[in-house]
Amino acid sequence: MDKEANTISVLLVDDHTLFRSGIRSLLQRHPEFVVVGEAADGFEGVKRAQQFKPQVVLLDLNMPGMSGLETLELLRQDCPDSAVVMLTVSEDAEDLSVALKAGASGYLLKNIDTEFLVRAIRRAAAGETVLAESMTAKLVAQLQSGAAPAVASELDKLTPREREILDCLARGESNKGIARTLDLAESTVKIHVQNVLKKLKLSSRVQAAVYAVEHRMHNGA
């Protein structure tokens, strides 16, 4: 059996050496995780991501030099297959909203329970969206307070099945989870997800989830 096929590669990007060491030690207790590299700033983080192509990047939000959000934008361009999860002390709803809209696969707080972090990394590697539980209500409030987006015309392009897919994406479900929910083949779900992203002119599942929540919030669905 190919050992690498059963592991999840992780890159740590944080300017605090002690924090990186703690996360590395935590993940090393689980044989499924392989920490392929570390970086103390965004510039080095992007280089390491290009070099190792990790499945998951744990990225700090506030770093000297290039910020976490700037780093995120470069990672989405250069390593689109890597799931980028923000791991930060910031509980600001605006930071959360901006990060998700920029393509982050998740937003976790540094005071997170260790087992929750482990589960979150697994879910992010599987293509799911992961949020700290305390940030979910803040996300909804942030979306409710924003200006109503002009999305009706784009949504009208979706078929009834694609609308169901979009609703599942809003709940952070993986392709496998959507397949179970809608009783479809996983390969069929992948095609539907690609069609939804194309029709809505979005580049990631997370952006689709945010888009769907915004539409529901402002249209009373």
Side-chain angles (χ1 to χ4, degrees):
M1 183 179 293
D2 185 357
K3 183 179 179 181
E4 291 186 2
N6 296 303
T7 60
I8 298 173
S9 55
V10 181
L11 173 67
L12 309 177
V13 184
D14 193 292
D15 60 315
H16 291 94
T17 304
L18 189 59
F19 183 77
R20 294 199 313 272
S21 298
I23 296 297
R24 175 185 280 274
S25 297
L26 167 65
L27 296 183
Q28 285 176 337
R29 299 175 199 161
H30 300 267
E32 71 197 278
F33 297 121
V34 176
V35 178
V36 293
E38 297 182 22
D41 59 61
F43 295 103
E44 190 66 23
V46 173
K47 287 183 183 178
R48 291 283 183 261
Q50 291 172 333
Q51 177 183 1
F52 296 115
K53 304 297 184 186
Q55 290 168 266
V56 178
V57 179
L58 296 181
L59 175 63
D60 190 15
L61 183 65
N62 299 308
M63 296 184 292
M66 186 162 62
S67 73
L69 290 175
E70 292 172 321
T71 305
L72 170 62
E73 292 179 3
L74 290 178
L75 289 172
R76 298 312 305 145
Q77 293 174 19
D78 297 345
C79 305
D81 294 330
S82 297
V84 182
V85 176
M86 310 307 293
L87 187 56
T88 175
V89 297
S90 174
E91 298 185 46
D92 185 79
E94 181 66 22
D95 286 340
L96 166 65
S97 179
V98 171
L100 293 181
K101 288 181 178 179
S105 295
Y107 194 99
L108 304 175
L109 301 177
K110 287 188 174 180
N111 62 1
I112 193 173
D113 175 80
T114 55
E115 286 307 309
F116 189 96
L117 175 60
V118 167
R119 292 194 302 270
I121 295 173
R122 290 178 185 142
R123 291 175 57 200
E128 298 182 44
T129 304
V130 293
L131 287 180
E133 293 178 354
S134 61
M135 298 302 293
T136 303
K138 292 186 178 185
L139 174 61
V140 173
Q142 176 72 10
L143 295 175
Q144 286 178 319
S145 67
V151 298
S153 60
E154 284 84 359
L155 286 173
D156 287 342
K157 297 176 184 177
L158 300 184
T159 66
R161 175 63 80 188
E162 288 167 351
R163 284 174 177 265
E164 290 180 321
I165 295 289
L166 182 60
D167 190 57
C168 290
L169 291 175
R171 296 195 296 268
E173 293 188 30
S174 64
N175 285 350
K176 185 177 294 185
I178 296 173
R180 286 196 301 266
T181 298
L182 301 180
D183 194 23
L184 296 171
E186 192 171 346
S187 58
T188 302
V189 171
K190 290 181 181 179
I191 294 172
H192 282 311
V193 170
Q194 291 171 357
N195 288 339
V196 168
L197 295 179
K198 183 177 181 180
K199 289 182 178 180
L200 298 182
K201 299 177 182 177
L202 301 172
S203 60
S204 75
R205 301 167 66 91
V206 176
Q207 289 178 349
V210 172
Y211 187 107
V213 174
E214 285 180 331
H215 181 253
R216 281 209 304 273
M217 292 299 109
H218 294 292
N219 290 276

